[in-house]
Amino acid sequence: MILLDDTKDGILPSQSIQKLIDNNIIYSNEKITSDLIQPASLDLRLGFKGWRVPASFLPGKKFNVEEKLKAFAMHEFSLSEGMVLECGCVYIVKLLEGLKLPKNISGLANPKSSTGRLDVFTRLIVDNSQEFETIDQGYSGPLYIEISPRTFSILVRTGTRLNQLRFGIGNYSISDHRMKELQIKFGLVRDDDKTVLSDKVENGLPLSVDLKGFDGLVGFKAKKHSMLIDCDKPKSYKADFFWEKITSRDLIINDNNFTRSLVLSPDAFYILASKEFVSVPSHLAAEMRPYDTRVGEFRAHYAGFFDPGFGLSELKADKTKAVLEIRSHDVPFLIEDGQTICRLIFEPMAKTPKELYGEKDGKNNYQSQGLKLSKHFI
């Protein structure tokens, strides 16, 4: 069991992640540079080879990923010179990083924010696993990522960062009662700087959709059959080539009860914003629950992790909203302004990170965001 300077239960901060790297608990044949380490997570990098597979899969308790790929993969390819991943296809790529976790540390993965906003579906897979995205305490072995572009075909290469991994010690869940206390004290989710308490705080705080927008702009709908996007080229693509603007003229407006509604087309991809502002204090991290059938037949938010410091007023970012990545399933679905879309789950940090999200100007792309596309678009 590794000692982390009397670290208590919770999500490990950047300085503890660095210690895991220094002790070869997180390892790679390629140097793990400091820019991969976020306040409460580690960016993972695509490795040298990948496989085209006919369907998503999990290895299960008795098999490792490599054994499954030998029996299941359609084609093996190299990423050294770059590789186009086609929209609608499923791929598995071995990551550069591997783990030798002690028995008191577990892992949980998410797509990076930019990955989710490109509608690229990713999930972490490890050997002998029966769940995506989770790594049991004491796991030792390689890491793999499942990649399935849903709207845009993408270009990736060795070193491309599509997902991130956070590490936890012990029990880091927060009770509903404690969540109410934190909401009152810190205003974690609020409307126009006024604390908003849900009448039902259950497994997190609810976030709702904003259909009022700003200057008439409400959101974006992805255009299918667009050009290729290089995941390693930020600020390189004109948004109008890839996105249709959703304006107030596209809404169903009922003047009698002051409601605004939007019909989500089946299997279309939307970028919308939360009605509320979000803050994540230095001693907390947060994750957005991606899908809940109780609030509708759609998936909200592929990339659901917020580092400590996100939207923090002390960093002059108290007007930061959550961006909602939404895909309707099977049938058209009508959403209304102010409708609950997802829930925000907060987790305690084991220690405060040495550097918070957005503390260095220009380092973080989504601090103080409103309605914002991925960093690739201008």
Side-chain angles (χ1 to χ4, degrees):
M1 182 179 296
I2 185 171
L3 297 177
L4 291 170
D5 303 324
D6 299 322
T7 299
K8 59 184 180 181
D9 287 1
I11 302 300
L12 295 185
S14 53
Q15 61 268 31
S16 296
I17 294 173
Q18 182 63 62
K19 188 170 183 179
L20 297 181
I21 296 168
D22 294 341
N23 284 274
N24 207 38
I25 290 171
I26 305 170
Y27 63 87
S28 175
N29 290 330
E30 304 293 318
K31 184 178 180 181
I32 302 176
T33 54
S34 60
D35 63 302
L36 294 169
I37 304 174
Q38 308 305 323
S41 59
L42 176 72
D43 289 352
L44 301 175
R45 300 168 294 176
L46 301 186
F48 293 97
K49 63 179 179 179
W51 297 263
R52 169 76 166 90
V53 293
S56 175
F57 70 89
L58 280 166
K61 279 186 177 181
K62 297 182 179 180
F63 298 96
N64 61 41
V65 176
E66 187 173 340
E67 289 170 337
K68 284 284 188 178
L69 287 169
K70 286 180 179 178
F72 195 54
M74 301 164 61
H75 172 68
E76 182 179 320
F77 55 86
S78 170
L79 283 82
S80 298
E81 302 299 324
M83 179 68 185
V84 174
L85 305 186
E86 298 284 353
C87 177
C89 297
V90 183
Y91 304 88
I92 305 294
V93 175
K94 189 175 183 179
L95 296 169
L96 290 178
E97 291 74 29
L99 299 175
K100 299 176 185 176
L101 291 181
K103 293 182 179 180
N104 63 331
I105 296 180
S106 59
L108 191 61
N110 290 96
K112 288 179 63 63
S113 292
S114 295
T115 304
R117 295 182 204 205
L118 290 178
D119 197 19
V120 178
F121 185 67
T122 72
R123 295 190 288 196
L124 186 77
I125 310 174
V126 297
D127 290 342
N128 310 116
S129 62
Q130 298 184 92
E131 293 183 357
F132 294 106
E133 303 283 57
T134 59
I135 303 176
D136 290 338
Q137 294 177 342
Y139 174 79
S140 181
L143 304 175
Y144 299 83
I145 182 175
E146 174 191 321
I147 308 169
S148 183
R150 308 309 300 159
T151 296
F152 311 120
S153 295
I154 59 173
L155 176 62
V156 297
R157 55 189 60 78
T158 299
T160 297
R161 311 172 189 182
L162 296 182
N163 66 338
Q164 59 195 128
L165 181 61
R166 63 191 191 274
F167 302 89
I169 289 183
N171 179 12
Y172 43 89
S173 61
I174 296 178
S175 68
D176 291 340
H177 177 72
R178 177 59 177 157
M179 196 73 262
K180 289 181 180 179
E181 292 178 342
L182 291 169
Q183 167 71 340
I184 293 170
K185 183 175 181 179
F186 296 102
L188 306 174
V189 175
R190 47 189 203 287
D191 184 4
D192 294 329
D193 292 329
K194 295 179 181 178
T195 299
V196 176
L197 268 177
S198 167
D199 57 356
K200 188 178 182 182
V201 176
E202 181 184 353
N203 297 324
L205 297 171
L207 289 178
S208 62
V209 65
D210 178 16
L211 294 183
K212 290 186 177 179
F214 183 75
D215 284 346
L217 180 64
V218 172
F220 298 91
K221 180 181 179 182
K223 295 179 180 179
K224 294 197 173 183
H225 314 295
S226 300
M227 296 185 298
L228 181 72
I229 294 176
D230 188 329
C231 289
D232 296 318
K233 289 188 176 180
K235 299 181 181 179
S236 298
Y237 302 96
K238 292 184 177 180
D240 290 347
F241 290 159
F242 296 86
W243 300 93
E244 299 174 10
K245 291 181 179 179
I246 301 171
T247 69
S248 55
R249 291 176 293 180
D250 300 308
L251 303 179
I252 301 170
I253 299 177
N254 188 326
D255 292 328
N256 292 328
N257 58 9
F258 306 104
T259 60
R260 291 174 170 235
S261 306
L262 173 67
V263 176
L264 304 177
S265 300
D267 207 32
F269 182 68
Y270 298 84
I271 297 289
L272 301 169
S274 67
K275 205 167 186 66
E276 298 82 9
F277 301 106
V278 175
S279 289
V280 184
S282 60
H283 66 289
L284 296 174
E287 182 183 15
M288 211 177 276
R289 175 166 292 174
Y291 179 69
D292 188 344
T293 55
R294 293 178 298 177
V295 298
E297 289 299 324
F298 55 84
R299 179 186 177 101
H301 218 79
Y302 287 120
F305 183 63
F306 298 123
D307 278 298
F310 181 87
L312 206 57
S313 58
E314 292 90 323
L315 300 177
K316 300 180 180 180
D318 54 335
K319 290 290 187 178
T320 303
K321 294 192 171 189
V323 166
L324 308 172
E325 303 143 11
I326 298 176
R327 176 182 291 280
S328 182
H329 294 301
D330 301 328
V331 296
F333 188 83
L334 183 140
I335 58 173
E336 293 185 350
D337 181 57
Q339 179 176 338
T340 297
I341 293 293
C342 55
R343 307 189 83 80
L344 197 57
I345 312 299
F346 284 82
E347 303 164 333
M349 292 296 298
K351 293 182 75 172
T352 300
K354 286 186 176 180
E355 184 179 295
L356 300 178
Y357 185 90
E359 203 160 10
K360 284 189 177 180
D361 292 339
K363 184 177 180 181
N364 305 110
N365 294 292
Y366 304 116
Q367 188 72 293
S368 302
Q369 70 179 0
L371 176 67
K372 189 172 183 179
L373 297 171
S374 82
K375 63 184 179 182
H376 303 87
F377 300 104
I378 53 177

